[in-house]
Coordinates of all heavy atoms in Angstrom, one line a residue:
G36 N 10.8 5.4 6.2 CA 11.0 6.8 6.6 C 10.0 7.4 7.5 O 10.2 8.4 8.1
D37 N 8.8 6.7 7.7 CA 7.7 7.3 8.4 C 7.6 6.6 9.8 O 6.7 7.0 10.6 CB 6.4 7.2 7.7 CG 6.5 8.1 6.4 OD1 7.0 9.2 6.5 OD2 5.9 7.7 5.5
R38 N 8.4 5.6 10.0 CA 8.2 4.9 11.3 C 8.6 5.8 12.5 O 9.6 6.5 12.4 CB 9.0 3.6 11.3 CG 8.4 2.5 10.4 CD 9.2 1.3 10.5 NE 8.7 0.3 9.5 CZ 9.4 -0.7 9.0 NH1 10.7 -0.8 9.2 NH2 8.9 -1.5 8.2
P39 N 7.9 5.6 13.6 CA 8.4 6.3 14.8 C 9.8 5.9 15.2 O 10.1 4.7 15.0 CB 7.3 6.0 15.9 CG 6.1 5.5 15.1 CD 6.7 4.9 13.8
A40 N 10.5 6.8 15.8 CA 11.8 6.4 16.2 C 11.8 5.4 17.3 O 10.8 5.3 18.0 CB 12.6 7.7 16.8
P41 N 12.7 4.4 17.3 CA 12.7 3.4 18.4 C 12.6 4.0 19.7 O 13.2 5.0 20.0 CB 14.0 2.7 18.2 CG 14.4 2.9 16.7 CD 13.8 4.3 16.4
N42 N 11.8 3.4 20.6 CA 11.6 3.9 21.9 C 12.0 2.9 22.9 O 11.2 1.9 23.2 CB 10.1 4.3 22.1 CG 9.8 5.0 23.4 OD1 10.6 4.9 24.3 ND2 8.7 5.7 23.4
P43 N 13.2 2.9 23.5 CA 13.7 1.9 24.3 C 12.8 1.7 25.6 O 12.9 0.7 26.2 CB 15.1 2.3 24.7 CG 15.1 3.8 24.4 CD 14.1 4.0 23.3
S44 N 12.1 2.7 26.0 CA 11.3 2.6 27.3 C 9.9 2.1 27.0 O 9.2 2.0 28.0 CB 11.2 4.1 27.9 OG 10.4 4.9 27.1
A45 N 9.6 1.8 25.8 CA 8.2 1.4 25.5 C 7.8 0.1 26.3 O 6.6 0.0 26.5 CB 8.0 1.2 24.0
A46 N 8.7 -0.8 26.5 CA 8.3 -2.0 27.2 C 8.1 -1.8 28.6 O 7.5 -2.6 29.3 CB 9.5 -3.0 27.0
S47 N 8.5 -0.7 29.2 CA 8.3 -0.4 30.6 C 7.4 0.8 30.8 O 7.6 1.8 30.2 CB 9.6 -0.1 31.3 OG 10.5 -1.2 31.1
P48 N 6.2 0.6 31.4 CA 5.2 1.7 31.6 C 5.9 2.9 32.2 O 6.7 2.8 33.1 CB 4.2 1.2 32.6 CG 4.3 -0.3 32.4 CD 5.7 -0.6 32.1
G49 N 5.6 4.1 31.6 CA 6.2 5.3 32.1 C 5.6 6.5 31.3 O 5.3 6.3 30.1

Side-chain angles (χ1 to χ4, degrees):
D37 292 326
R38 286 179 183 157
N42 188 339
S44 67
S47 303

